Amino acid sequence: MNTFWDYLWYTILVFAFVAYLIVLFQIIVDLFRDHSVSGVAKAVWVIALVVLPYLTAVVYLIARGRGMALRTQQAQAEAKQATDQYIRQVAGKSPAENIADAKALRDSGVITDVEFEQLKAQALGQPVSAHNAPTGQ
């Protein structure tokens, strides 16, 4: 590699190889994400990707590209739904639910009005004032 053209050709080859690897991994992920394809068909696709890599990748993208995009969108939607559910679970109750619980405790006589106001302020994210602090009773 002594000339500029050698370096340019080497760069093009590296780019093509990295692009192929990215497409290859996307195809393999899509193959194993698709439950409607049999194991034999998956094995044939993988073998074809090894034997005739670029041709098989192009054929796969043409033949199954639309389904590939839909499966990716579905997987992303499922991941988002799972994340949202986890966040809701970890976050706990809403401020309105916390206030309603505190009101039920106040109405049943378990807590005083001062304690109710403290719980309400905490649920709303407001600082609790010193004159509303419990007296240690």
Side-chain angles (χ1 to χ4, degrees):
M1 291 202 307
N2 296 331
T3 67
F4 168 76
W5 298 110
D6 290 337
Y7 287 113
L8 182 63
W9 180 246
Y10 179 73
T11 303
I12 291 170
L13 288 178
V14 169
F15 175 80
F17 182 70
V18 170
Y20 168 70
L21 287 178
I22 292 170
V23 170
L24 175 72
F25 292 138
Q26 289 293 324
I27 289 172
I28 290 173
V29 165
D30 183 62
L31 270 173
F32 289 102
R33 184 181 289 156
D34 189 1
H35 300 293
S36 66
V37 176
S38 70
V40 173
K42 290 177 184 181
V44 169
W45 275 112
V46 171
I47 291 169
L49 282 168
V50 172
V51 175
L52 298 169
Y54 287 100
L55 179 64
T56 304
V58 169
V59 168
Y60 187 89
L61 292 175
I62 291 170
R64 298 179 47 87
R66 179 172 296 205
M68 190 175 179
L70 293 175
R71 283 184 291 279
T72 301
Q73 287 176 347
Q74 181 182 8
Q76 289 174 349
E78 289 172 1
K80 183 182 182 320
Q81 182 181 10
T83 301
D84 291 346
Q85 181 180 1
Y86 174 75
I87 290 171
R88 273 190 241 101
Q89 174 189 359
V90 171
K93 296 181 179 181
S94 70
E97 291 172 323
N98 286 334
I99 293 170
D101 290 345
K103 184 176 182 319
L105 290 173
R106 183 188 67 181
D107 292 344
S108 66
V110 175
I111 62 173
T112 65
D113 287 340
V114 173
E115 292 170 324
F116 169 74
E117 291 301 324
Q118 283 180 327
L119 291 173
K120 182 176 163 186
Q122 285 176 349
L124 296 174
Q126 299 170 346
V128 179
S129 62
H131 69 276
N132 286 341
T135 58
Q137 298 173 354

